[in-house]
């Protein structure tokens, strides 16, 4: 795969042409060619809350006047760092580090939008100033104004800007700031900002460069987000929202390693809804599916935060209790057994009383693998059903049950 980055008259970099075959960057190949898609957006109508920062948008517009949005030449080290990035955070750190170097800034930070109407500084490269995870309101800060307006802002003198984060940076000795939104065609992911101790010599060119870098990063973030969603879907049962067997074995391997290395005990609980076939036969599979979904939701409300709920198949569920002793896990299992049969489930206009049987075990020195625990939990579940259902059976070893 060939990536070509054209010159933007930056003296500290060299034109490069790279042949790259690493699969990590392959999904981003279509996005790394950034020539011709980086035109500066038309002026948007300012919302009232952004009026205090209107002058900063004007400074950016004036600085960019007459400067074309060319493709940006980047150092080969930038792509090498992206190639070796093993996580989203490492990607952000690479962009922060190299953006600072490319535009010769004294500081560079990346703030991404969060679910709480905040912009969270998640990456930074500087010698002093705000440290992540700093958080800024989208409603009443200059960062928030850039995010909402989807336009760059430039403050030649930060000391006259009335914004919390800008004041903190001024106190650290920074004079100027350039803020650029991280844009795709459909979304703004956040803001990339560069600050300078001295006056900025060519702010227009820097804005154009940061626009190009910002759009490339935004597209990469979009791909990462989509891949994370797909990965989550691959580990989740679509009907109940519980994890599936893939998720179980991933976390079980982690718990098993902790047990092998530090003797950190964990437990496993297997659960089977009593007489579920009768529910399907009597009311139909749609009602059965609704019962499964409601059952999983009620269980989630009574598990510990670190417990992992799994649907292992049909009407059977499991709970991996990481860092839980047998005594702690027994308390959880009894609580679940009690709450399941205490109140009928409201399903399709009906009130259905549903109970379940529970088989519990914890890791012990005789176990050779997690599979030994699964077999023991299944044995305990069988005994719970044989003993009348709607109960918890704890099996300590192959011979001992409680």
């Amino acid at each position: 795969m060939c990536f070509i980055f054209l010159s933007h008259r930056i003296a500290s970099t060299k034109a490069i042409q790279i042949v790259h075959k690493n699969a990590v960057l392959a999904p981003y190949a279509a996005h790394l060619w950034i020539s011709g898609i980086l035109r500066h957006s038309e002026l948007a109508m300012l919302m009232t809350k952004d009026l205090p920062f209107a002058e900063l948008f004007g400074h950016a517009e004036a600085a960019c006047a007459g400067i074309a949005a060319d493709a940006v030449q980047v150092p080969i080290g930038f792509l090498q760092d992206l190639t070796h990035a093993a996580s989203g955070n490492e990607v952000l750190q690479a962009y922060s580090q190299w953006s600072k170097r490319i535009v010769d800034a004294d500081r560079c930070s990346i703030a991404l939008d969060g679910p709480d109407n905040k912009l969270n500084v998640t990456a930074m490269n500087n010698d002093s100033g705000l440290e992540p995870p700093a958080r800024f309101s989208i409603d009443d800060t200059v960062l928030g104004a850039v995010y909402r307006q989807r336009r760059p802002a430039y403050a030649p003198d930060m000391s006259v800007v009335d914004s919390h984060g800008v004041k903190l940076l001024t106190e650290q000795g920074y004079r100027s700031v350039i803020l650029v939104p991280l844009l795709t065609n459909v979304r703004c992911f956040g803001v990339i900002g560069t600050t300078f101790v001295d006056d900025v010599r060519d702010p227009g060119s820097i804005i154009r460069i940061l626009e190009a870098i910002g759009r490339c990063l935004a597209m990469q973030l979009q791909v990462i987000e989509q891949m994370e969603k797909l990965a989550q879907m691959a580990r989740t049962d679509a009907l109940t929202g519980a994890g599936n067997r893939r998720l179980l074995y991933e976390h079980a391997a982690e718990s098993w390693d902790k047990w092998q290395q530090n003797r950190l005990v964990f437990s496993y609980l297997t659960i089977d809804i009593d007489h579920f076939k009768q529910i399907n036969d009597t009311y139909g599979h749609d009602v059965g599916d609704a019962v499964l979904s409601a059952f999983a939701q009620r269980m989630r409300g009574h598990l510990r935060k670190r417990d992992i709920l799994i649907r292992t198949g049909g009407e059977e569920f499991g709970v991996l209790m990481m860092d839980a002793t047998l005594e702690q896990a027994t308390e959880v299992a009894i609580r679940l057994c009690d709450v399941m049969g205490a109140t009928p489930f409201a399903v399709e206009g009906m009130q259905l009383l549903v109970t379940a049987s529970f088989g519990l075990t914890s890791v012990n020195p005789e176990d050779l693998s997690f599979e030994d625990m699964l077999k023991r939990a299944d044995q305990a579940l069988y005994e719970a059903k044989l003993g009348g259902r709607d109960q918890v059976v704890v099996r300590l070893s192959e011979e001992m049950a409680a």
Side-chain angles (χ1 to χ4, degrees):
M1 182 144 328
C2 179
F3 302 121
I4 304 175
F5 292 79
L6 302 183
S7 173
H8 199 280
R9 297 188 181 91
I10 301 301
S12 60
T13 59
K14 298 179 181 179
I16 58 174
Q17 178 171 329
I18 303 169
V19 176
H20 179 65
K21 298 181 180 179
N22 192 300
V24 174
L25 285 182
Y28 318 131
H31 305 316
L32 288 174
W33 178 253
I34 50 183
S35 177
I37 61 171
L38 303 170
R39 295 185 181 88
H40 188 51
S41 60
E42 297 293 327
L43 281 172
M45 183 175 294
L46 286 171
M47 293 180 288
T48 303
K49 65 179 70 175
D50 292 336
L51 288 177
F53 309 122
E55 186 177 359
L56 306 186
F57 293 121
H59 286 319
E61 292 288 339
C64 291
I67 299 179
D70 296 332
V72 175
Q73 160 188 309
V74 298
I76 190 171
F78 188 3
L79 289 187
Q80 289 174 336
D81 284 354
L82 288 178
T83 300
H84 297 121
S87 67
N89 285 335
E90 290 184 8
V91 169
L92 292 171
Q93 290 295 340
Y95 270 94
S96 177
Q97 173 189 348
W98 283 101
S99 296
K100 172 179 177 288
R101 294 176 63 177
I102 289 169
V103 303
D104 197 24
D106 297 296
R107 171 187 175 276
C108 179
S109 64
I110 297 171
L112 301 183
D113 56 359
D116 52 358
N117 205 39
K118 301 285 186 181
L119 287 168
N120 305 311
V121 177
T122 56
M124 185 174 297
N125 190 269
N126 69 315
D127 296 325
S128 63
L130 301 173
E131 294 296 334
R135 301 167 75 244
F136 297 93
S137 170
I138 290 176
D139 292 328
D140 55 5
T141 63
V142 65
L143 272 177
V146 171
Y147 173 82
R148 288 191 312 273
Q149 291 285 323
R150 301 190 174 195
R151 299 165 55 201
Y154 167 45
D157 182 1
M158 289 195 294
S159 65
V160 302
V161 179
D162 186 17
S163 182
H164 173 65
V166 173
K167 288 182 178 179
L168 292 176
L169 291 171
T170 302
E171 293 172 0
Q172 293 287 339
Y174 297 104
R175 174 174 176 79
S176 306
V177 63
I178 293 175
L179 301 168
V180 172
L182 304 175
L183 292 174
T184 65
N185 292 331
V186 297
R187 179 179 168 188
C188 181
F189 281 85
V191 177
I192 184 170
T194 51
T195 46
F196 304 81
V197 172
D198 300 318
D199 293 332
V200 181
R201 287 175 293 180
D202 189 0
S205 293
I206 290 176
I207 290 171
R208 292 303 192 205
I209 292 169
L210 291 178
E211 284 182 319
I213 292 174
R215 187 171 293 274
C216 185
L217 172 57
M219 291 179 176
Q220 192 161 348
L221 289 172
Q222 181 170 290
V223 172
I224 291 173
E225 185 177 82
Q226 292 169 346
M227 292 174 68
E228 288 175 346
K229 288 180 179 178
L230 289 173
Q232 179 65 24
M233 290 173 61
R235 293 166 173 81
T236 304
D237 174 60
L239 175 62
T240 64
N244 59 20
R245 286 184 176 271
R246 175 181 292 184
L247 185 70
L248 169 63
Y249 282 105
E250 287 179 0
H251 286 283
E254 177 184 344
S255 293
W256 183 261
D257 287 343
K258 290 180 179 178
W259 161 251
Q260 292 288 87
Q261 296 170 11
N262 303 311
R263 281 300 187 253
L264 192 60
V265 177
F266 67 103
S267 301
Y268 184 72
L269 176 68
T270 186
I271 307 153
D272 192 88
I273 299 177
D274 296 331
H275 306 297
F276 185 74
K277 185 177 184 300
Q278 293 181 13
I279 296 174
N280 273 338
D281 292 345
T282 303
Y283 303 105
H285 288 278
D286 288 346
V287 172
D289 288 348
V291 168
L292 289 170
S293 181
F295 187 88
Q297 183 176 355
R298 185 177 293 185
M299 276 201 295
R300 274 192 290 267
H302 293 86
L303 293 173
R304 306 176 309 164
K305 288 185 178 180
R306 57 188 178 277
D307 293 337
I308 299 171
L309 176 63
I310 302 293
R311 184 184 177 199
T312 54
E315 69 272 23
E316 188 170 310
F317 293 83
V319 179
L320 182 65
M321 302 184 195
M322 305 175 73
D323 309 336
T325 63
L326 186 62
E327 181 180 359
Q328 293 168 330
T330 301
E331 292 179 2
V332 174
I334 293 174
R335 180 169 67 245
L336 289 174
C337 186
D338 289 343
V339 300
M340 286 303 149
T343 306
F345 289 89
V347 177
E348 301 290 335
M350 298 178 289
Q351 297 291 321
L352 298 180
L353 186 62
V354 178
T355 63
S357 302
F358 299 77
L360 175 65
T361 192
S362 290
V363 66
N364 69 53
E366 298 176 0
D367 291 329
L368 300 179
S369 69
F370 177 63
E371 294 293 335
D372 291 337
M373 291 181 62
L374 289 180
K375 292 176 183 177
R376 197 161 55 248
D378 284 341
Q379 290 172 352
L381 175 63
Y382 175 77
E383 292 167 15
K385 285 188 168 294
L386 198 62
R389 295 182 170 85
D390 189 21
Q391 61 180 296
V392 177
V393 171
V394 180
R395 180 166 279 277
L396 308 176
S397 66
E398 295 298 326
E399 295 81 19
M400 298 177 60

